[in-house]
């Protein structure tokens, strides 16, 4: 690690302008986390046009703050309303709301704030130490390695992410198809443009993202929350006792490690980390029946893990140029729009961006800890605002944001189309995350694969002759075959189940 570059990053972050954008990002992230459904991916997509006129370092610091700030904001609604503001806060509902009903909502929120800070800080230290090492290793990557890694990323999102695997694969396939729209960069031929000149340069990433996450989420949440008023629980004292801290300290430690490790994996991220941390605590507990009835560890573990994962997700983004989840895909798009190419060269070419983003997290998470407890009362008031008021404001910002990209009304119509698609996807159980991630990685997969085939003179077995790309492709095959292997192993058990059920039924009769 270059110590001088690390210290220069701190001096850059502590400039008043960057401190202000860090504060804005964290506050917006907390607010978005409190408002159920919108999410950091949608918010980053909506705010992308605003970043055009901001210094690139300040813009990325702000967008990163939105991402990890939203992880804590989602806790507030999970505890007070039994309504997770973020997907990563779903597990927190089980014990957080149970504690709120016991009059311990403040304790749950206080432990969540402490766990979030500890998990994020541990993960930032790991990010600081490991990211330059990973970037140095990634310098050996060529087109074959990038093609294999991007392909593995798309598959991992579908197979180890949340949701139905087949639906996630279908969404990812659609994303890869959409990435081919426009002029072929190798031959100049037009693909899937249907004679429309507006599609010659392809579909804009921001338009797709704002449609699926912005308009789609607005429509879906309006339908889900219409006519369902929620009254937040009373907060009370937000400072946890020494006994609560002692009881949850082990869960916070384990959640930090689980979140850091799983956050690096494509498709892992905050959701999977929170689930794994909660399951771990329940499994090792001497009294597992406490979970779901107000166990403080049931709040501490998932909240620590999802914040640790939110931070470690930056490792593959900054060092290899591969986004690990939908929110990272938004940040990946933001970096490209601002003229910054994330990858192994980022440390050398733009150390201000690399270390500026990492070091801003130290300050951002400290701001989160300081603000999270005093602002709980304000967020409770915001929860009382009707969705019918918030939705039109968000929709207007989204439309204006899309129009300002190219000053094109065509982009607005494309966004609306993707908004309807996003709404229908949510209604039918399809998550838009795999589609967006595959759309981002699609161009990398195609360009890297075609360059590799030129290097190998058209021989596809060349991918397996290179150690790194060959290893990644073997992992790809193993991940792809794992669900099939599980199904084959479970088939005998499933085959015998109906016999037992029939005997039980006969005995009952």
């Amino acid at each position: 690690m270059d110590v001088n570059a690390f210290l220069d990053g701190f001096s850059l972050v502590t400039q008043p302008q960057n401190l202000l954008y860090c504060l804005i990002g964290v506050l917006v992230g907390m607010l978005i986390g409190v408002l159920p459904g919108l999410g950091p991916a949608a918010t980053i997509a909506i705010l992308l046009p605003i970043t055009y006129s901001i210094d690139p370092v300040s813009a990325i610091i702000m967008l990163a703050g939105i991402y990890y700030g939203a992880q804590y904001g989602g806790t507030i609604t999970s505890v007070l309303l039994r309504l997770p503001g973020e997907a990563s806060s779903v597990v927190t509902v089980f014990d957080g709301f149970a504690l709120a009903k016991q009059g311990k909502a403040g304790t749950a929120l206080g432990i969540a704030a402490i766990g979030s800070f500890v998990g994020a800080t541990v993960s930032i230290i790991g990010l600081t130490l490991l990211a330059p090492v990973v970037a140095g290793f990634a310098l050996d990557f060529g087109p074959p390695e990038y093609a294999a890694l991007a392909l593995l990323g798309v598959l991992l999102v579908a197979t180890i992410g949340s949701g139905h695997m087949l639906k996630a694969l279908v969404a990812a396939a659609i994303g890869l198809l959409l990435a081919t729209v426009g002029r072929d960069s190798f031959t100049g031929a037009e693909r899937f443009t249907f004679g429309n000149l507006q599609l010659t340069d392809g579909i804009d990433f921001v338009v797709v993202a704002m449609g699926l996450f912005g308009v789609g989420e607005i429509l879906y949440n309006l339908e889900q929350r219409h006519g369902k008023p929620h009254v937040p629980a009373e907060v009370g004292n937000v400072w946890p006792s020494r006994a609560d801290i002692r009881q949850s300290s082990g869960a916070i430690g384990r959640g930090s490690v689980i979140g850091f490790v799983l956050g690096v994996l494509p498709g892992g991220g905050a959701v999977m980390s929170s689930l794994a941390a909660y399951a771990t605590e329940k499994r090792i507990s001497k009294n597992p029946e406490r979970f779901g009835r107000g166990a403080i560890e049931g709040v501490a573990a998932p909240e620590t893990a999802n914040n640790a994962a939110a931070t470690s997700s930056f490792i593959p983004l900054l060092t290899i140029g591969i986004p690990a989840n939908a929110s990272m895909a938004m940040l990946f798009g933001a970096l490209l729009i601002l003229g910054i190419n994330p990858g192994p060269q980022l440390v050398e070419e733009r150390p201000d961006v690399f270390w500026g983003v990492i070091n801003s997290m130290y300050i951002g998470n400290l701001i989160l800890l300081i603000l999270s407890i005093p602002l709980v009362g304000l967020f409770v008031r915001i929860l009382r605002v009707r969705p019918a008021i918030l939705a039109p404001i968000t929709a207007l910002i989204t439309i204006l944001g899309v129009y300002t990209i190219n000053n094109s009304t065509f982009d607005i119509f494309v966004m609306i189309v993707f908004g309807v698609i996003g709404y229908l996807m949510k209604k039918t159980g399809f998550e838009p995350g795999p589609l967006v991630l595959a759309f981002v990685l699609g161009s990398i997969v195609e360009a890297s694969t075609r360059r590799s085939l030129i290097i190998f003179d058209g021989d596809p077995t060349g991918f397996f002759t290179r150690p790194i790309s060959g290893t990644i492709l073997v992992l790809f095959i193993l991940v792809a075959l794992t669900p099939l292997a599980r199904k084959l192993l479970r088939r005998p058990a499933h085959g015998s189940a109906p016999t037992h059920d029939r005997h039980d039924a006969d005995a009952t009769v």
Side-chain angles (χ1 to χ4, degrees):
M1 184 180 74
D2 189 342
V3 178
N4 291 327
F6 174 73
L7 295 176
D8 289 341
F10 261 119
S11 64
L12 179 67
V13 174
T14 52
Q15 292 177 4
Q17 177 186 356
N18 291 328
L19 284 175
L20 176 62
Y21 280 111
C22 183
L23 175 62
I24 291 172
V26 167
L27 284 174
V28 172
M30 290 181 70
L31 177 61
I32 293 306
V34 168
L35 298 174
L38 191 55
T43 307
I44 293 171
I46 292 169
L47 294 180
L48 277 181
I50 298 175
T51 63
Y52 297 166
S53 57
I54 304 174
D55 177 74
V57 176
S58 301
I60 297 303
I61 286 174
M62 181 182 71
L63 296 178
I66 291 172
Y67 177 51
Y68 57 80
Q71 303 306 318
Y72 177 75
T75 311
I76 298 173
T77 50
S78 296
V79 172
L80 301 181
L81 296 176
R82 202 178 184 180
L83 187 67
E86 290 303 311
S88 58
S89 299
V90 170
V91 187
T92 310
V93 168
F94 304 150
D95 289 280
F97 189 69
L99 285 167
K101 288 196 297 183
Q102 298 169 17
K104 298 179 180 179
T107 301
L109 292 173
I111 283 293
I114 294 170
S116 298
F117 176 74
V118 173
T121 302
V122 170
S123 195
I124 296 167
I125 294 171
L127 175 62
T128 304
L129 297 175
L130 288 181
V133 177
V134 176
F137 172 73
L139 287 172
D140 295 330
F141 278 35
E145 286 74 24
Y146 273 105
L149 190 63
L151 198 61
L152 178 63
V154 175
L155 181 65
L156 282 174
V157 168
T159 54
I160 69 174
S162 58
H164 193 278
M165 188 187 70
L166 181 59
K167 290 182 178 180
L169 284 170
V170 170
I174 295 172
L176 291 173
L177 179 63
L178 290 172
T180 64
V181 174
R183 186 181 289 110
D184 188 335
S185 58
F186 284 81
T187 65
E190 293 185 5
R191 303 180 300 187
F192 305 111
T193 61
F194 305 102
N196 191 323
L197 293 176
Q198 301 275 7
L199 293 175
T200 303
D201 293 328
I203 304 173
D204 196 291
F205 164 76
V206 180
V207 176
V208 174
M210 293 176 79
L212 289 173
F213 287 107
V215 177
E217 292 287 344
I218 291 169
L219 294 174
Y220 182 76
N221 288 315
L222 275 176
E223 180 186 57
Q224 293 298 308
R225 299 180 66 191
H226 179 69
K228 298 179 182 178
H230 297 281
V231 181
E234 294 297 326
V235 175
N237 182 25
V238 295
W239 298 107
S241 65
R242 289 184 179 179
D244 291 325
I245 294 175
R246 187 165 52 251
Q247 190 174 358
S248 57
S249 58
I252 290 174
R254 287 182 288 270
S256 299
V257 175
I258 291 170
F260 178 79
V261 173
L262 294 183
V264 177
L265 298 175
V271 178
M272 187 176 177
S273 301
S274 61
L275 289 168
Y278 186 87
T280 300
E281 292 306 311
K282 188 173 182 179
R283 187 170 299 167
I284 67 175
S285 175
K286 295 179 180 178
N287 302 301
E289 66 277 359
R290 292 172 48 248
F291 285 78
R293 300 178 181 177
I296 196 69
E297 307 97 297
V299 174
E303 287 304 312
T304 302
N306 65 34
N307 279 268
T311 302
S312 63
S313 296
F314 282 86
I315 291 179
L317 175 71
L318 296 176
T319 60
I320 306 176
I322 300 295
N325 52 56
S327 297
M328 288 294 105
M330 299 297 124
L331 285 168
F332 180 84
L335 286 165
L336 294 179
I337 290 169
L338 294 168
I340 301 167
N341 292 315
Q345 299 291 344
L346 184 64
V347 185
E348 300 295 331
E349 295 177 356
R350 294 299 303 268
D352 56 335
V353 174
F354 185 84
W355 290 113
V357 171
I358 292 176
N359 291 341
S360 71
M361 295 181 191
Y362 286 103
I363 297 173
N365 277 285
L366 185 60
I367 293 173
L368 261 177
L369 179 65
I370 295 171
L371 295 180
S372 57
I373 294 175
L375 288 180
V376 167
L378 173 63
F379 290 135
V380 170
R381 291 190 182 93
I382 292 172
L383 288 172
R384 300 181 188 275
V385 178
R386 289 181 299 165
I389 296 174
L390 291 174
I393 297 173
T394 308
L396 179 62
I397 295 171
T398 305
I399 292 171
L400 289 174
V402 165
Y403 180 77
T404 55
I405 297 170
N406 300 311
N407 293 328
S408 169
T409 54
F410 178 78
D411 286 346
I412 296 176
F413 288 111
V414 174
M415 181 195 69
I416 292 172
V417 170
F418 277 102
V420 174
I421 293 172
Y423 165 75
L424 294 175
M425 287 179 71
K426 294 281 284 185
K427 286 280 290 181
T428 53
F430 286 84
E431 286 296 325
L435 190 155
V436 172
L437 194 65
F439 180 76
V440 171
L441 295 177
S443 57
I444 299 175
V445 172
E446 182 187 11
S448 299
T449 300
R450 293 172 73 173
R451 288 193 183 100
S452 301
L453 290 174
I454 292 172
I455 295 172
F456 300 140
D457 293 325
D459 182 9
T461 60
F463 285 98
F464 294 93
T465 62
R466 293 169 65 113
I468 298 177
S469 62
T471 302
I472 295 172
L473 285 176
V474 169
L475 286 174
F476 176 88
I477 294 170
L478 290 174
V479 171
L481 294 178
T482 297
L484 179 62
R486 286 178 180 172
K487 188 174 290 187
L488 291 174
L489 290 172
R490 290 176 182 174
R491 183 170 292 176
H494 286 174
S496 61
T499 305
H500 293 299
D501 293 343
R502 187 166 56 251
H503 287 311
D504 292 342
D506 293 338
T508 303
V509 173

